Amino acid sequence: MEQRELTVETRAGSGTSAARRLRRQGLVPAVLYGRGMEPVPLSVNASLLRELVHAGGHNVVVRLNIKDGNAEPPTVMLKEIQRHPLSGIVLNVDFQKISLTEQITAEVPIILIGEAPGVKQGGVLDHVLREVEVECLPTDIPHSIELNVSQLDIGHALHVSDLAAPPGVTITAEPTEVVVAVTRVFEEVAAPAPEEAAEVEEGAEPAEEGAEPTEAEEEGEAAEETQES
């Protein structure tokens, strides 16, 4: 994965009011975390941050240029992005300091390619697992992993073991976990409506002549004979 650069500034204020002031200025509150270091509060241009996320997603590797900092620009990744639940505006972002020589774990999107024959046969393609965990160096994180479904018939599935990892990348997810499957669509037979059931009862044919009388009919006939006598 290509390494990108982002310029940020340290910030002194904290809390909700300070964060709102930053957002009105087109900035996003941020924090830099790292092993063996105190968290560093930062602010980042909202437009530049959107471009960065759009280009590389969460797994983008960034060289963080701190304007008023004296230390060597750290290499970081986006650890967490907090968005407004309705507008989707980025409220806060956390950067995680990393080493380019140490392996890390990351979630990589799974992209399906091809057309499954099972869908043409009337089945439904169910993409169960959309991201898979991998382990590799930060610069080796793939943008995505493709999975071809062109041999997938109804009732068949592809698993994590069917994914092909790029060189230097290890897939750590359970091999037997289902990634995608084509399932059969079963049509449900609807029960008759109450009105239809009533019509069936009303339209029932009378008993045939010569048929054996029921026990209730025999008791009724016996009662009539008693009254007549």
Side-chain angles (χ1 to χ4, degrees):
M1 178 174 287
E2 180 185 356
Q3 187 174 348
R4 298 178 177 271
E5 292 196 8
L6 181 66
T7 299
V8 297
E9 297 183 21
T10 56
R11 57 183 171 91
S14 61
T16 303
S17 298
R20 286 175 178 169
R21 283 196 297 270
L22 284 175
R23 297 188 192 104
R24 285 196 292 267
Q25 300 171 31
L27 302 172
V28 176
V31 180
L32 170 62
Y33 295 95
R35 187 188 307 166
M37 61 175 286
E38 292 293 325
V40 181
L42 304 168
S43 63
V44 55
N45 182 281
S47 297
L48 295 178
L49 181 62
R50 282 196 298 269
E51 292 177 7
L52 183 71
V53 174
H54 179 73
H58 280 72
N59 293 330
V60 62
V61 178
V62 183
R63 181 180 171 88
L64 210 58
N65 295 318
I66 303 176
K67 271 188 176 180
D68 43 2
N70 299 321
E72 179 72 16
T75 302
V76 305
M77 291 184 67
L78 290 168
K79 181 181 179 182
E80 183 178 358
I81 299 177
Q82 182 183 352
R83 299 179 182 272
H84 190 279
L86 298 179
S87 65
I89 296 175
V90 176
L91 302 177
N92 297 282
V93 61
D94 291 344
F95 293 105
Q96 178 70 48
K97 185 178 179 181
I98 62 172
S99 170
L100 294 179
T101 60
E102 294 182 5
Q103 292 198 342
I104 62 172
T105 58
E107 295 287 336
V108 176
I110 300 173
I111 306 298
L112 304 182
I113 60 173
E115 295 184 8
V119 175
K120 296 180 180 180
Q121 299 164 6
V124 175
L125 188 71
D126 187 8
H127 193 173
V128 181
L129 186 66
R130 296 183 177 271
E131 290 186 331
V132 65
E133 186 181 82
V134 303
E135 185 176 68
C136 59
L137 294 176
T139 51
D140 289 338
I141 300 174
H143 288 285
S144 62
I145 295 179
E146 294 184 345
L147 182 60
N148 196 322
V149 298
S150 59
Q151 302 297 320
L152 206 57
D153 293 320
I154 290 180
H156 292 176
L158 294 175
H159 305 79
V160 169
S161 58
D162 296 307
L163 297 172
V169 177
T170 301
I171 297 176
T172 58
E174 179 61 40
T176 58
E177 190 170 358
V178 174
V179 176
V180 60
V182 176
T183 56
R184 188 183 302 276
V185 178
F186 294 96
E187 296 183 359
E188 295 184 1
V189 179
E195 295 79 4
E196 295 177 358
E199 290 176 1
V200 172
E201 291 178 1
E202 292 175 0
E205 296 182 359
E208 297 180 2
E209 292 185 4
E212 291 292 333
T214 63
E215 183 177 347
E217 291 173 340
E218 291 178 346
E219 292 178 356
E221 291 175 358
E224 291 177 0
E225 291 178 358
T226 302
Q227 292 176 356
E228 290 175 358
S229 62

